[in-house]
């Protein structure tokens, strides 16, 4: 298992290297950062001087070589716009995005599992049909629309929840988070619900399908025949066996939620990584774009590795290789 | 007896009312901005949202008021000693937020830092400063390379930092920790979330009415409007055109508009192709129905432009009138120029740089088609558009221009002068007229304000007469404010909190 892990980390490094080349070439064809950085009335000599200071006057392969040389040491360059290391800019935003992603997952679990179970147990009831219909709507509704609708409803019409920002933050066990204050919770609920909406819808369908499958099994019939109360049958026996694929999906979705939170963050002015990368792409702030993509790539690789190792843990029959 | 008692009662009530009013005066202002400042080191980034925030924390030697006229700042007065020497008398008794005293050393240091720091983005404003001499603690002489009338406006761009503070700290520390002399200091800053500014107690100038300001960057326009309508913020910047009606109908809030500085114009290749003929350029200008563009494309939120900059800018010519819309005349001019059946031309425009730029380009294309000119639209994202246009690989393009210093010489230098040396950098259609060149060079070195204004007005008149460019309109700035707020926004979009107040 150790050898396997080592091999995977080595593969990850190769992937990161390849990603860095592709991204480097892509951001280089996408406009000139010096033109966007300086005001239009800047003299040509000022433009040239800045180009030189940023090292953008050198041929592309030398720029890339310099980048790699520093990147190996953990230095991804200084942001063109905020004179601080790009990597630290990205990393200081990471927990804020994580917080949002975790809240989104919690919300979706709390809603999706009972709803999915109900829809599986009583497929003919009106409520079940309603649940399935709204899950279909949830899958098809784009984030930018559902986010704005929530704001219109809860912030503008009912004045119940704040429309933007992260709110009051408190520290608990060394973690700064909106989770620990009432104001913070009020701020996180709408963005988390927006981000988690797709996942709620998907999990409902997953739980329902899994549940229906399991309910047909002989052992369920047997427990019922034995006279075990329905509640215990559903929760202790049926649900438990449905959870394996559900947990896998949740794990994989975590990466997706972190990487694609940008639209939600932009709508709710949530100061996370997604907002940073959108702004940086607009400004052509190359070191930040580079750092963000490499961090996300590494994160995805790490999550996949953990999921693969978990499979092995749950079912040792699976061969690693 | 009864009367006096009644009088007494009225007196007591009045005192109460007054007292209540006085206690309300300690006020917080929450402002929703489209984007956050990126750095608090004043030489590192020349970008409006960043400078806008810094203008509250720092001050320059001079500042521009809401009419873009020069007013004393940290310099109480200044005079021209000889053609190339300017003497600035500094304000006494000014303290930086960390308690340091302000004097001539700080001014010299700040200007030299802007000039010499490798990452400074303010090299251009001080590019013509040859040397700075400290005469005494509160007097400083600045020498320029040649007579340079625009120096006060340029030097006003340099915000003054404390020498001791900057020298004692790393560049990275200065990005997030500002020490200026301005009316406000930063009490907390969560990037992209909110910045809290509080009034500086020992501020040398007039005490501002707003004690505490919270700046909230909300980049999504729909969310920004929602947070305003739900009452979370007091002032909303950049109200989207399509939401104006909604805000106007809402209770307790108002829409405030102000002409901006940005001109949207069309540029043409004046040396080659059909546009090299004056009659064709005139024909095109006659063919454009700007009223329709303002009304239908801009929803009424723009101001028709008849010349290169608005009347708040130094060098505006009040006698130049806009060419009227006249498609018949346009057809006739085209025929006279040898194009009775029109011609085909590619038109370059961005679609994400200026307010409704893509739609403006479409409207122009349709209007020109009516007089027989077949326009092939090439609308792209801003970086691709600028790459193409700035390399002069275009015959017909749409662009915007802002005279941020409040002086028209920026446009004349950059767009009207024949491209050579540092002149005409944005003269992408290579317009060239020796007479105009001479006027511009003269204006650049004339210190007498009135004479200089006359020279610039003449250059504008010729430029418009020869249709060097086709000015379309000035954009309008739109703000939403709570009803009780008293504030006149500035044409340059800098949000100076010290100019805000409340109606009681």
């Amino acid at each position: 298992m150790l050898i396997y892990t080592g091999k995977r980390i080595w593969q990850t490094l190769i992937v990161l290297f390849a990603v860095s080349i592709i991204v480097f070439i892509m951001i280089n064809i996408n406009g000139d950062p010096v033109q966007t950085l300086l005001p239009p009335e800047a003299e040509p000599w000022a433009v040239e001087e800045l180009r030189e200071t940023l090292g953008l006057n050198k041929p592309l392969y030398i720029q890339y070589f310099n980048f790699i040389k520093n990147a190996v040491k953990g230095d991804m360059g200084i942001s063109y716009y905020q004179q601080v290391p790009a990597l630290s800019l990205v990393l200081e935003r990471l927990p804020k995005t994580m917080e949002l992603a975790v809240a989104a997952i919690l919300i979706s679990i709390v809603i999706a599992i009972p709803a999915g179970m109900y829809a599986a147990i009583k497929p003919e009831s009106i409520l079940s049909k309603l649940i399935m219909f709204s899950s279909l709507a949830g899958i098809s509704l784009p984030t930018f629309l559902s986010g704005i609708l929530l704001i219109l409803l809860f912030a503008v019409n009912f004045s119940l929840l704040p429309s933007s920002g992260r709110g009051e933050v408190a520290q608990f066990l060394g973690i700064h988070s909106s989770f620990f204050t009432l104001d913070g919770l009020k701020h996180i609920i709408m963005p988390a619900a927006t981000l988690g909406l797709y996942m709620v819808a998907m999990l409902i369908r997953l739980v329902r399908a899994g549940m229906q499958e399991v309910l047909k099994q002989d052992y369920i019939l047997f427990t019922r025949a034995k006279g075990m109360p329905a509640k215990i049958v559903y929760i202790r026996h049926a649900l438990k066996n449905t959870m394996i694929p559900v947990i896998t999906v949740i794990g994989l979705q975590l990466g997706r939620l972190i990487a694609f939170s940008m639209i939600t963050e932009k709508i709710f002015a949530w100061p996370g990584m997604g907002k940073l990368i959108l702004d940086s792409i607009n400004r052509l702030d190359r070191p930040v774009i580079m750092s963000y993509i490499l961090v996300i790539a590494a994160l995805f690789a790490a999550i996949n590795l953990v999921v693969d190792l978990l499979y092995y843990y749950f079912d040792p029959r699976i061969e690693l290789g | 007896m009864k009367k006096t008692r009644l009088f007494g009662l009225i007196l007591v009530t009045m005192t109460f009312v007054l007292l209540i009013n006085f206690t309300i005066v300690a006020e917080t202002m929450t402002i929703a901005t489209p984007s956050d400042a990126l750095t608090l080191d004043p030489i590192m980034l020349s970008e409006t949202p960043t400078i806008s925030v810094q203008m509250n924390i720092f001050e320059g030697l001079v500042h521009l008021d809401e009419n873009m006229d020069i007013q004393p700042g940290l310099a109480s007065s200044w005079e021209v000693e000889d053609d190339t020497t300017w003497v600035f008398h500094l304000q006494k008794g000014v303290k930086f937020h960390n308690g340091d005293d302000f004097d001539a050393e700080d001014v010299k240091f700040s200007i030299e830092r802007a000039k010499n720091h490798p990452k400074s983005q303010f090299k251009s404003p001080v590019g013509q400063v040859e040397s700075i001499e400290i005469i005494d603690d509160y007097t400083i002489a600045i020498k320029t390379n040649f007579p340079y009338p625009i120096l006060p406006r340029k030097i006003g761009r340099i915000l003054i930092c404390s020498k001791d503070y900057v020298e004692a700290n790393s560049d990275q520390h200065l990005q997030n920790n500002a020490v200026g002399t301005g009316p406000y200091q930063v009490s907390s800053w969560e990037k992209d979330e909110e910045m809290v500014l509080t009034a500086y107690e020992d501020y040398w100038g007039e005490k501002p009415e707003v004690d505490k300001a919270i700046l909230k960057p909300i980049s999504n326009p729909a969310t920004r409007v929602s947070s305003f309508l739900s009452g979370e913020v007091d002032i909303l910047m950049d109200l989207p055109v399509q939401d104006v009606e909604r805000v106007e109908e809402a209770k307790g809030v108002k829409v405030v508009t102000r002409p901006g500085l940005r001109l949207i114009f069309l540029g043409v290749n004046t040396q080659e192709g059909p546009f090299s003929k004056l009659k064709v350029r005139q024909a095109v200008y006659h063919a454009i129905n700007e009223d329709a563009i303002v009304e239908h494309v801009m929803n009424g939120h723009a101001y028709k432009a008849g010349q290169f900059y608005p009347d708040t800018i130094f060098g505006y010519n009040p006698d130049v009138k806009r060419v009227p819309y006249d498609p018949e005349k346009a057809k006739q001019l085209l025929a006279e120029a040898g194009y009775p059946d029109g011609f085909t031309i590619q038109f370059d425009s961005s679609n994400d740089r200026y307010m409704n730029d893509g739609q403006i380009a479409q409207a122009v294309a349709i209007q020109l088609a009516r007089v027989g000119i077949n326009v092939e639209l090439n609308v792209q994202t801003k970086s691709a558009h600028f790459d193409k246009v700035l390399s002069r690989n275009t015959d017909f393009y749409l662009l915007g221009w802002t005279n941020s210093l409040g002086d028209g010489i920026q446009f004349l230098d950059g767009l009207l002068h024949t491209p050579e040396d540092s002149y005409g950098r944005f003269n992408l259609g290579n317009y060239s007229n020796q007479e105009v060149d001479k006027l511009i060079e003269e204006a650049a070195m004339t210190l007498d304000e009135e004479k200089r204004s006359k020279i610039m007005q003449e250059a504008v008149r010729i430029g418009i007469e020869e249709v060097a460019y086709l000015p379309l309109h000035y954009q309008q700035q739109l703000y939403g404010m709570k009803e009780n707020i008293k504030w006149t926004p500035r044409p340059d979009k800098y949000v100076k909190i010290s100019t805000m107040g409340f109606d009681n």
Side-chain angles (χ1 to χ4, degrees):
Chain A
M1 184 150 135
L2 215 66
I3 297 171
Y4 172 74
T5 313
K7 221 156 109 192
R8 282 288 296 268
I9 290 175
W10 172 242
Q11 283 169 357
T12 306
L13 286 178
I14 294 175
V15 168
L16 288 183
F17 182 70
V19 168
S20 77
I21 293 183
I22 296 169
V23 176
F24 200 84
I25 293 171
M26 269 169 52
I27 55 182
N28 264 285
I29 30 183
N30 192 9
D32 179 4
V34 180
Q35 280 310 345
T36 20
L37 200 49
L38 283 174
E41 68 268 18
E43 273 92 357
W45 55 262
V47 173
E48 280 319 305
E49 267 186 46
L50 184 67
R51 201 183 296 279
E52 213 165 291
T53 315
L54 297 178
L56 295 172
N57 56 340
K58 301 199 181 78
L60 198 59
Y61 69 93
I62 294 189
Q63 284 184 40
Y64 182 72
F65 180 73
N66 286 338
F67 166 77
I68 283 293
K69 209 171 65 186
N70 294 324
V72 174
K73 290 182 269 177
D75 170 13
M76 310 286 260
I78 306 271
S79 156
Y80 296 163
Y81 283 81
Q82 320 180 33
Q83 306 293 324
V84 284
L87 189 61
S88 70
L89 269 183
V90 173
L91 291 181
E92 83 191 16
R93 304 287 183 106
L94 181 63
K96 298 175 187 170
T97 299
M98 287 283 238
E99 178 182 70
L100 198 56
V102 170
I105 285 182
L106 287 181
I107 290 182
S108 49
I109 291 174
V110 168
I111 297 175
I113 290 180
M117 275 174 73
Y118 186 85
I121 296 165
K122 296 209 170 116
E124 294 306 321
S125 85
I126 294 182
L127 186 60
S128 293
K129 287 194 172 133
L130 199 70
I131 289 171
M132 293 322 286
F133 173 77
S134 38
S135 86
L136 192 69
I139 284 188
S140 18
L141 211 59
T143 318
F144 55 85
L145 187 63
S146 50
I148 284 294
L149 287 178
L150 282 181
I151 290 181
L152 275 181
L153 207 61
F154 292 106
V156 180
N157 277 6
F158 297 133
S159 302
L160 278 177
L161 296 169
S163 62
S164 60
R166 195 157 161 251
E168 206 179 311
V169 179
Q171 197 181 15
F172 184 69
L173 297 176
I175 305 169
H176 285 275
S177 170
S178 300
F179 281 134
F180 310 131
T181 65
L182 184 65
D183 183 54
L185 282 175
K186 272 181 162 178
H187 277 85
I188 205 171
I189 192 157
M190 279 206 294
T194 307
L195 188 61
L197 184 64
Y198 178 83
M199 210 163 123
V200 174
M202 199 186 61
L203 280 186
I204 287 179
R205 301 193 147 240
L206 203 66
V207 170
R208 175 175 169 265
M211 219 34 196
Q212 279 177 334
E213 190 103 328
V214 173
L215 287 178
K216 285 188 205 130
Q217 304 272 325
D218 289 346
Y219 70 88
I220 297 288
L221 275 177
F222 188 70
T223 50
R224 295 301 301 271
K226 217 169 67 172
M228 198 181 266
K231 225 189 212 168
I232 296 179
V233 175
Y234 292 138
I235 293 175
R236 229 201 254 147
H237 296 280
L239 181 65
K240 216 172 176 184
N241 283 305
T242 324
M243 283 312 281
I244 296 158
V246 173
I247 288 171
T248 316
V249 167
I250 290 175
L252 289 174
Q253 285 285 314
L254 180 66
R256 202 191 72 97
L257 289 182
I258 292 170
F260 301 123
S261 62
M262 47 183 88
I263 296 172
T264 309
E265 286 184 13
K266 181 151 175 131
I267 293 173
F268 291 96
W270 190 266
M273 279 198 303
K275 182 149 186 309
L276 177 73
I277 185 65
L278 277 182
D279 291 341
S280 302
I281 290 172
N282 257 324
R283 296 176 192 132
L284 302 175
D285 197 343
R286 291 179 183 172
V288 181
I289 302 175
M290 203 71 189
S291 310
Y292 171 84
I293 293 179
L294 290 181
V295 165
I296 289 290
L299 207 64
F300 257 84
I303 290 174
N304 274 316
L305 177 60
V306 170
V307 168
D308 284 355
L309 290 177
L310 278 179
Y311 277 154
Y312 177 72
Y313 176 80
F314 283 127
D315 190 350
R317 285 172 301 180
I318 294 173
E319 268 189 35
L320 295 172
Chain B
M1 183 68 194
K2 250 189 173 173
K3 240 183 192 170
T4 27
R5 210 180 272 171
L6 191 70
F7 183 72
L9 197 72
I10 290 173
L11 208 73
V12 169
T13 334
M14 271 176 69
T15 332
F16 256 103
V17 170
L18 278 175
L19 268 177
I20 288 166
N21 266 335
F22 277 122
T23 44
I24 285 172
V25 168
E27 294 279 4
T28 298
M29 187 76 84
T30 307
I31 304 162
T33 65
S35 73
D36 201 5
L38 291 165
T39 171
L40 293 180
D41 186 343
I43 61 161
M44 289 302 182
L45 192 60
S46 176
E47 179 225 38
T48 306
T50 299
I51 300 174
S52 170
V53 170
Q54 291 173 356
M55 284 281 181
N56 293 292
I57 306 162
F58 297 92
E59 291 168 302
L61 289 183
V62 307
H63 77 92
L64 301 178
D65 64 15
E66 59 216 32
N67 299 315
M68 301 301 282
D69 291 327
I70 304 183
Q71 300 295 343
L74 284 175
S76 49
S77 66
W78 56 93
E79 70 249 352
V80 189
E81 200 172 77
D82 60 59
D83 272 4
T84 55
T85 311
W86 296 71
V87 175
F88 288 87
H89 302 281
L90 307 181
Q91 209 59 260
K92 286 175 191 160
V94 176
K95 273 193 189 306
F96 284 99
H97 299 155
N98 64 349
D100 286 358
D101 284 313
F102 159 81
D103 62 25
E105 284 285 350
D106 299 309
V107 176
K108 183 173 153 81
F109 173 81
S110 300
I111 295 175
E112 283 174 351
R113 183 164 182 259
K115 198 171 151 77
N116 301 327
H117 193 291
K119 289 211 167 156
S120 164
Q121 290 207 4
F122 288 81
K123 292 183 180 192
S124 311
V126 289
Q128 302 311 334
V129 172
E130 192 194 290
S131 66
I132 303 151
E133 196 194 325
I134 295 175
I135 296 174
D136 61 49
D137 277 358
Y138 295 102
T139 317
I140 196 161
I142 298 178
K143 268 195 169 308
T144 57
N145 290 327
F146 44 78
Y148 197 52
I150 199 170
L151 181 84
R153 282 181 192 270
K154 291 251 183 188
I155 216 77
R157 310 275 306 172
I158 307 299
L159 300 177
I160 307 299
C161 303
S162 159
K163 181 180 183 210
D164 295 337
Y165 177 74
V166 171
E167 280 180 344
N169 288 290
S170 68
D171 276 0
Q172 206 173 313
H173 178 83
L174 297 173
Q175 304 312 309
N176 301 325
N177 302 282
V179 168
T181 60
Y184 292 91
Q185 49 186 345
V186 182
S187 55
S188 75
W189 185 23
E190 285 290 324
K191 281 186 188 165
D192 266 348
E193 199 184 339
E194 69 171 38
M195 180 189 276
V196 180
L197 295 170
T198 43
Y200 173 44
E201 276 179 22
D202 294 327
Y203 182 57
W204 61 275
E206 205 180 314
K207 193 178 154 26
E209 204 171 315
V210 175
D211 296 325
K212 182 177 162 193
I214 301 170
L215 303 176
K216 287 192 173 190
I218 305 176
S219 57
N220 185 292
T223 314
R224 201 160 62 238
V225 174
S226 300
S227 70
F228 176 65
L229 289 178
S230 69
E232 290 166 61
V233 301
D234 303 312
I235 294 181
L236 162 78
M237 289 183 68
D238 282 1
L239 172 64
V241 166
Q242 63 270 21
D243 289 321
V244 170
E245 249 171 81
R246 235 174 97 211
V247 173
E248 270 170 350
E249 281 167 12
K251 275 202 190 96
V253 296
K254 60 186 173 186
V255 174
V256 174
T257 59
R258 185 100 171 100
L261 290 179
R262 181 179 280 145
L263 169 76
I264 301 296
F265 66 92
L266 305 179
V268 291
N269 184 345
T270 60
Q271 298 304 314
E272 281 165 41
F275 290 124
S276 59
K277 292 188 176 154
L278 175 61
K279 284 198 170 152
V280 175
R281 302 204 293 269
Q282 287 171 333
V284 170
Y285 210 14
H286 277 299
I288 291 171
N289 184 354
E290 182 57 38
D291 286 324
I293 293 179
V294 169
E295 195 185 327
H296 300 299
V297 180
M298 306 300 291
N299 278 9
H301 298 292
Y303 303 88
K304 230 160 81 161
Q307 51 188 292
F308 308 128
Y309 34 81
D311 55 4
T312 42
I313 302 286
F314 186 86
Y316 174 84
N317 189 335
D319 301 326
V320 170
K321 293 281 173 282
R322 192 191 159 94
V323 174
Y325 168 58
D326 188 347
E328 286 314 310
K329 180 128 190 241
K331 279 183 198 157
Q332 185 196 329
L333 282 164
L334 278 177
E336 285 170 23
Y339 295 101
D341 303 320
F343 52 88
T344 296
I345 190 103
Q346 197 188 49
F347 178 35
D348 295 304
S349 170
S350 51
N351 57 6
D352 52 359
R353 178 65 188 89
Y354 313 111
M355 215 188 264
N356 298 342
D357 42 3
Q359 290 97 304
I360 298 169
Q362 280 173 18
V364 166
I366 293 166
Q367 291 171 359
L368 293 189
R370 290 199 187 123
V371 298
I373 301 172
N374 181 22
V375 175
E376 286 172 2
L377 261 183
N378 179 30
V379 175
Q380 331 181 59
T381 184
K382 58 189 172 193
S383 48
H385 174 65
F386 285 132
D387 265 356
K388 182 168 194 283
V389 173
L390 290 179
S391 58
R392 295 174 198 255
N393 175 25
T394 178
D395 286 324
F396 190 24
Y397 58 92
L398 181 143
L399 214 59
W401 182 267
T402 304
N403 284 290
S404 51
L405 295 179
D407 192 301
I409 200 74
Q410 284 177 292
F411 186 96
L412 303 183
D413 261 7
L415 285 93
L416 211 56
H417 194 287
T418 308
E420 56 189 23
D421 297 332
S422 70
Y423 282 119
R425 294 186 307 285
F426 288 86
N427 183 352
L428 307 172
N430 298 316
Y431 172 74
S432 178
N433 179 331
Q434 300 233 315
E435 198 187 337
V436 171
D437 289 359
K438 238 179 69 195
L439 287 167
I440 293 171
E441 284 161 33
E442 204 184 327
M445 301 211 181
T446 305
L447 290 177
D448 185 279
E449 296 254 305
E450 206 172 312
K451 220 168 117 194
R452 185 159 161 268
S453 173
K454 283 269 166 318
I455 300 170
M456 286 167 64
Q457 288 179 3
E458 179 62 10
V460 169
R461 189 190 62 77
I462 300 174
I464 289 292
E465 203 174 271
E466 297 203 325
V467 201
Y469 296 93
L470 294 76
L472 296 182
H473 53 253
Y474 307 113
Q475 288 181 354
Q476 186 179 50
Q477 298 179 36
L478 287 157
Y479 298 82
M481 289 180 207
K482 286 202 176 143
E483 208 108 70
N484 65 333
I485 290 169
K486 207 168 56 191
W487 179 48
T488 313
R490 302 162 52 87
D492 57 14
K493 272 183 96 170
Y494 296 153
V495 176
K496 289 203 174 177
I497 299 155
S498 57
T499 61
M500 294 174 182
F502 298 89
D503 278 325
N504 280 315

